Amino acid sequence: MRRAWWLAGPGGADAFELVERPFEPLAEGWLRIRVEAFGLNRSELFSRRGMSSPDFSFPRVLGLECAGRVDDAGATDLREDDRVVALMGGMGRAFDGSYATHVDVPRTQVFRAPEALSAEVLGAVPETYNTAYGVCVESLKLTSEDRVLVRGGTSALGRAACEIAKDLGCVVVGTSRSPDKAAQLANASRFDHVLVDGSDLGDRVRERVGELSAVVDCVGSKESVESACGMLASGGRLGLVGQLSETWDGARPTIPDHVSQSFTRSDLIAAPKDDERMRVLLDRVAAGRWAPNVDRVFSFEELPAAHEAMGANRAIGKIVVVVK
């Protein structure tokens, strides 16, 4: 039997129901993972509220990533007890996800993981760093010549983007809407400068680092995107990668001609084509080059409280749930 946090329909954090379900036969090319930990993602908050991608439907067990061990390898090349992570490919949307003691996933969404990382650290890495790597390395192609602004620097994604950008030698400025969070971020991150959002943000950024060559925007509002464009030098690059603002008003931001923009999709990752990419991400965290930025750890039984904390924007970094 597996235990899972079940959602019959949209609602608040109290809408989750802890249920027991029997294991079902594995589909061809699928395997079963015994979940050790999983990170919470903003998109799961939207799904819980009934605002999600077209492939999502209720009832559903949420969770688009996890870390754990192979419980049943099916007819795949993996073996029982192999350490793995899994993410995306419809997890928690098109089929039941990782908010459970066990999850069935396609082999294409599973990657081998190092033994050196604890469950709570490993659970914080896959989706966040997959996305941050995509925007920093593949979309923006950051180098040591770049001066980068990360809008939404207190988010797990914003902090991961900072880690990767600093590793590439960039000067990195982070922002927060909260003065208290900005102060905490300044003391517990690798950002060169941390600023509180405001109408004069552009002036304060220019005072510290001059014109920007790149922006990672995790906020996603029309205002944040347009103000970021105003801080970019000619030829600057804008990487759109999040929706912290939770705004869907249909108003599209105006992007000036001197700025190039890209939108990073994390859902295209799949094995075996991305095996090396995930190996690099996990190995660099294991080696201490990138910090996992775990803010809080909840037990499996505390999942509703973890979701409430995410919805209240209490975290500075990643919220992780550990399954004992």
Side-chain angles (χ1 to χ4, degrees):
M1 298 286 284
R2 81 178 84 211
R3 299 168 67 213
W5 284 101
W6 182 261
L7 273 180
D14 58 352
F16 288 106
E17 179 186 0
L18 188 56
V19 299
E20 287 192 353
R21 293 286 188 270
F23 295 128
E24 298 179 358
L26 289 169
E28 183 177 355
W30 288 50
L31 58 114
R32 180 169 299 128
I33 296 172
R34 184 172 69 255
V35 179
E36 294 181 334
F38 53 86
L40 297 192
N41 296 279
R42 202 77 183 175
S43 64
E44 295 157 2
L45 178 65
F46 302 154
S47 294
R48 192 198 78 205
R49 294 172 175 172
M51 304 174 293
S52 193
S53 55
D55 62 342
F56 179 82
S57 61
F58 289 110
R60 183 64 65 220
V61 176
L62 302 184
L64 57 81
E65 67 176 325
C66 71
R69 296 188 180 276
V70 175
D71 187 67
D72 185 340
T76 72
D77 60 312
L78 294 171
R79 297 184 178 182
E80 184 178 341
D81 215 39
D82 279 351
R83 193 91 183 278
V84 294
V85 295
L87 70 159
M88 302 307 292
M91 284 181 66
R93 292 175 177 170
F95 58 90
D96 286 342
S98 60
Y99 288 12
T101 57
H102 301 76
V103 60
D104 297 351
V105 290
R107 173 64 180 90
T108 54
Q109 305 312 128
V110 181
F111 301 87
R112 299 179 188 275
E115 293 286 348
L117 294 172
S118 68
E120 64 185 53
V121 168
L122 190 58
V125 176
E127 171 58 7
T128 298
Y129 272 93
N130 172 48
T131 307
Y133 186 89
V135 67
C136 290
V137 176
E138 297 172 342
S139 295
L140 297 177
K141 297 179 172 56
L142 298 179
T143 72
S144 59
E145 302 298 316
D146 283 309
R147 299 174 304 283
V148 185
L149 175 69
V150 179
R151 300 298 301 268
T154 57
S155 66
L157 177 55
R159 293 192 65 178
C162 173
E163 292 286 329
I164 294 174
K166 289 302 298 178
D167 197 37
L168 293 169
C170 303
V171 174
V172 189
V173 182
T175 70
S176 173
R177 292 169 290 181
S178 163
D180 288 342
K181 281 190 173 183
Q184 294 178 58
L185 190 66
N187 292 326
S189 73
R190 295 176 65 188
F191 283 106
D192 296 291
H193 306 278
V194 178
L195 304 176
V196 179
D197 275 323
S199 59
D200 64 340
L201 178 63
D203 292 335
R204 288 180 284 134
V205 168
R206 281 186 283 272
E207 286 175 3
R208 287 161 176 79
V209 299
E211 283 191 307
L212 299 167
S213 53
V215 172
V216 176
D217 190 280
C218 305
V219 178
S221 70
K222 183 176 185 293
E223 183 280 328
S224 71
V225 171
E226 291 182 345
S227 66
C229 289
M231 302 177 222
L232 282 165
S234 179
R237 295 103 70 203
L238 172 66
L240 303 174
V241 74
Q243 196 74 54
L244 292 174
S245 65
E246 301 183 29
T247 56
W248 294 272
D249 56 13
R252 302 187 66 173
T254 300
I255 308 296
D257 292 339
H258 74 274
V259 172
S260 63
Q261 65 169 321
S262 59
F263 182 78
T264 299
R265 291 183 59 180
S266 63
D267 59 326
L268 301 179
I269 189 167
K273 72 176 179 67
D274 292 312
D275 282 351
E276 178 62 16
R277 172 200 187 100
M278 189 55 65
R279 186 194 65 78
V280 168
L281 301 186
L282 296 174
D283 283 355
R284 288 184 181 177
V285 173
R289 284 178 61 174
W290 300 343
N293 300 315
V294 178
D295 179 86
R296 293 185 65 184
V297 178
F298 290 82
S299 71
F300 183 66
E301 290 72 21
E302 295 174 316
L303 184 278
H307 246 257
E308 184 180 2
M310 177 169 60
N313 296 315
R314 296 175 192 154
I316 302 180
K318 191 79 167 180
I319 294 176
V320 177
V321 174
V322 173
V323 184
K324 296 296 185 182

